[in-house]
């Protein structure tokens, strides 16, 4: 009891009190420092918009590559010039015949909305959408070539490099200014109310992402847990357990990087598609699976699968298997057996697995940072990391962390209400 109390006080209570105090402490860094902090925030938001635009352009390039791979059997004109560099064919198929022809001017309403720094023209407001939802106007992948897409990528990458250099300079100036003028602190809610709209959108999106990971983990883990809990063969049980546990003898980061090697553009999965003749890696084709949250979901489900499997397995294992046999003898279908017999008994295990998987997913920093490396939308954990260690704003980072903690607690209470379980049921 003494060790448990020491654990709770030193590793839970004191850090939480410190975080709560910081979250409600507002630091007034003076006019110059406040201006620098605002400029840093704007620069980070701009980098976020660029990353979103680059993700869209990369997806568009993959779509053009896929269309070119489909069109190649019908389009043999490019072979007339053996010295021409292969280019993705346009819908008309004629541009590849003349390698020296000048590019035709782009339409006036082309995808300039993908560049958040371009001057808006006409009624094109796509650049105002930080999540890059394609607008109804503008060019599509059917009328754009790889060269045109890459022509948009280059200035975005250049601008991103400028912003990263600017952020480093501004953060150094902010730190020096704060040290010279000192800090005026006061208890306030400003650390919460000053959250930018983009950060709030990322916060809401992260809650939805973690919920998706939890649902996917349950869909994958419930059949496995049921199979392990109801098997009558000890050898089969041992094999299933070993199959679940062996991957977790490897460090989590190594498991994450192994998935990156599978999902990257030159990775194992694209290599398999190339072997099957679906794509041609030598021609630059391939899918960048890591440039989406789907890849993050996949890696997270794999990383946290045991936290869903074992709570469900433990509860199903306590179910009297005669109830399943009785339901089957009475003519119940497999679906009805699970819905009326197994799932009601497994509710505490499902609740525990959902809580653990959701909280681990919402607070994960390793998976979203490593997978895709900025090619997918940000998670709120990445924003918190940058508040602490890049913007040097620990109080605002604490406020963001507290907001995420409150969201997780709300999810726990909601989960307990949905499954009609209490603390005693979860403790079992």
């Amino acid at each position: 009891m003494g060790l448990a109390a020491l654990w709770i006080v030193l590793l839970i209570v004191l850090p939480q009190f410190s975080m709560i105090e910081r979250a409600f402490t507002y630091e007034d860094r003076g006019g110059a420092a406040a201006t620098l902090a605002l400029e840093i925030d704007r620069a980070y938001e701009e980098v976020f918009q660029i990353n979103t635009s680059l993700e869209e352009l990369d997806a568009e390039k993959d779509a053009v590559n896929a269309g070119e791979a489909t069109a190649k059997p019908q389009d043999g004109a490019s072979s007339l010039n053996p010295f021409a560099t292969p280019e993705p064919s346009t819908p008309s198929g004629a541009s590849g015949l003349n390698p020296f022809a000048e590019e035709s001017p782009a339409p006036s309403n082309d995808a300039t909305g993908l560049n958040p720094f371009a001057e808006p023209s006409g009624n094109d407001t796509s650049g105002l959408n930080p999540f890059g939802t394609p607008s109804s106007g503008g060019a599509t992948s059917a009328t754009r070539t790889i060269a045109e897409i890459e022509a948009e990528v280059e200035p975005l990458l250049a601008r991103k490099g400028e912003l990263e250099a600017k952020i480093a300079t501004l953060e150094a100036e902010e730190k020096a200014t704060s040290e010279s003028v000192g800090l005026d602190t006061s208890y306030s809610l400003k650390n919460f109310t000053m959250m930018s709209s983009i950060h709030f959108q990322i916060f809401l999106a992260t809650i939805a992402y973690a919920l998706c990971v939890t649902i996917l983990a349950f869909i994958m883990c419930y059949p496995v847990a049921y199979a392990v809990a109801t098997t009558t063969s000890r050898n089969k049980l041992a094999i299933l357990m070993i199959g679940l546990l062996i991957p977790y003898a490897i460090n989590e980061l190594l498991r994450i990087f192994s998935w990156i090697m599978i999902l990257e553009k030159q990775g194992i999965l694209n290599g398999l598609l190339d072997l099957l003749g679906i794509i041609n890696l030598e021609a630059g084709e391939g899918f960048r699976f890591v440039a989406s949250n789907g890849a993050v979901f996949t890696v997270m489900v794999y990383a946290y699968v045991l936290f869903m499997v074992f709570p469900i397995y433990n509860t199903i294992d306590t179910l009297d298997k005669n109830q399943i046999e009785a339901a089957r003898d009475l003519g119940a279908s497999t679906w009805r057996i699970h819905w009326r017999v197994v799932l009601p008994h497994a509710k505490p295990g499902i609740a525990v697995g959902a809580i653990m998987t959701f909280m681990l997913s919402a607070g994960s920093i390793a998976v979203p940072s490593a997978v895709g490396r900025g090619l997918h939308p940000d998670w709120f954990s990445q924003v918190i990391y940058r508040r602490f260690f890049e913007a040097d704003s620990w109080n605002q980072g604490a406020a963001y962390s507290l907001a995420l903690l409150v969201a997780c607690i709300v999810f726990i209470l909601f989960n307990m209400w949905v499954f009609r379980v209490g603390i005693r049921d979860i403790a079992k």
Side-chain angles (χ1 to χ4, degrees):
M1 291 295 293
L3 289 175
L6 186 65
W7 172 280
I8 292 172
V9 171
L10 293 182
L11 298 182
I12 299 177
V13 176
L14 291 181
Q16 291 301 321
F17 270 119
S18 176
M19 184 185 72
I20 292 172
E21 182 185 7
R22 280 185 174 274
F24 288 97
T25 302
Y26 174 70
E27 293 182 348
D28 187 359
R29 304 191 177 199
T35 302
L36 289 170
L38 183 60
E39 290 185 22
I40 292 171
D41 283 342
R42 288 175 177 171
Y44 274 119
E45 291 178 4
E46 212 169 329
V47 170
F48 172 79
Q49 293 175 354
I50 290 177
N51 287 335
T52 304
S53 299
L54 289 173
E55 178 190 352
E56 289 184 355
L57 291 171
D58 190 70
E60 188 176 353
K61 190 188 298 184
D62 289 340
V64 172
N65 281 332
E68 170 65 11
T70 305
K72 276 181 181 178
Q74 290 81 20
D75 185 9
S78 60
S79 61
L80 297 177
N81 185 357
F83 306 101
T85 303
E87 294 288 344
S89 61
T90 61
S92 61
S95 60
L97 298 176
N98 184 0
F100 308 104
E102 297 182 358
E103 294 183 3
S104 58
S108 59
N109 64 340
D110 66 1
T112 54
L114 295 176
N115 184 353
F117 316 106
E119 293 292 333
S121 60
N123 58 353
D124 183 9
T125 59
S126 58
L128 301 178
N129 182 357
F131 292 98
T133 304
S135 59
S136 57
T140 63
S141 59
T143 60
R144 288 157 58 83
T145 64
I146 292 293
E148 290 173 341
I149 297 173
E150 290 180 346
E152 288 190 17
V153 170
E154 291 179 3
L156 287 176
L157 290 175
R159 178 59 178 169
K160 182 179 177 181
E162 293 175 5
L163 286 171
E164 289 174 345
K166 179 182 177 181
I167 288 171
T169 303
L170 290 175
E171 287 177 346
E173 292 180 9
E174 181 191 28
K175 185 176 181 180
T177 304
S178 299
E179 290 175 352
S180 62
V181 302
L183 298 176
D184 293 330
T185 60
S186 60
Y187 289 106
S188 172
L189 294 173
K190 286 186 177 180
N191 289 326
F192 298 92
T193 58
M194 290 177 63
M195 181 184 294
S196 66
S197 59
I198 288 183
H199 287 173
F200 184 67
Q201 290 174 2
I202 295 173
F203 172 75
L204 295 179
T206 299
I207 301 302
Y209 296 157
L211 187 59
C212 290
V213 172
T214 304
I215 294 172
L216 290 173
F218 170 73
I219 292 172
M220 292 187 61
C221 294
Y222 176 77
V224 176
Y226 178 79
V228 174
T230 56
T231 183
T232 56
S233 171
R234 290 188 175 182
N235 292 334
K236 186 177 179 180
L237 176 62
I239 292 172
L240 288 172
M241 284 293 189
I242 291 174
L244 286 172
L245 291 173
I246 280 182
Y248 290 84
I250 304 173
N251 182 272
E252 181 180 349
L253 286 176
L254 293 180
R255 285 184 274 124
I256 293 172
F257 283 117
S258 69
W259 270 103
I260 294 174
M261 294 177 65
I262 293 172
L263 299 174
E264 264 291 359
K265 193 168 184 179
Q266 300 295 327
I268 297 172
L269 186 54
N270 275 318
L272 179 61
L273 295 177
D274 180 60
L275 187 65
L276 296 174
I278 299 174
I279 62 174
N280 186 356
L281 286 178
E282 293 184 358
E285 298 175 357
F287 302 98
R288 182 163 289 175
F289 297 101
V290 293
S292 67
N293 268 323
V296 181
F297 294 170
T298 302
V299 179
M300 278 193 177
V301 169
Y302 179 76
Y304 307 133
V305 65
L306 288 188
F307 296 97
M308 181 67 79
V309 165
F310 279 109
I312 299 176
Y313 161 74
N314 287 334
T315 52
I316 296 178
D317 192 47
T318 62
L319 174 66
D320 185 359
K321 306 308 183 291
N322 291 326
Q323 295 184 34
I324 299 176
E325 292 298 327
R328 187 175 290 114
D329 292 341
L330 290 172
S333 63
T334 301
W335 166 257
R336 195 169 182 82
I337 290 172
H338 284 279
W339 183 253
R340 297 295 299 274
V341 178
V342 182
L343 284 173
H345 184 82
K347 284 193 300 183
I350 297 172
V352 172
I355 290 170
M356 297 179 70
T357 305
F358 179 88
M359 296 189 70
L360 288 170
S361 302
S364 175
I365 183 66
V367 177
S369 296
V371 179
R373 299 171 299 284
L375 295 175
H376 57 78
D378 275 352
W379 285 52
F380 200 62
S381 56
Q382 295 173 278
V383 176
I384 294 173
Y385 177 87
R386 290 197 292 265
R387 291 287 89 193
F388 274 103
F389 301 109
E390 293 182 8
D392 195 27
S393 181
W394 280 46
N395 289 18
Q396 196 169 24
Y400 285 13
S401 301
L402 184 59
L404 187 59
L405 175 62
V406 170
C408 290
I409 292 174
V410 170
F411 174 80
I412 291 173
L413 297 176
F414 177 76
N415 206 38
M416 293 171 62
W417 176 77
V418 168
F419 289 100
R420 300 293 191 273
V421 295
I423 297 296
R424 291 178 179 271
D425 297 319
I426 292 177
K428 292 178 181 179

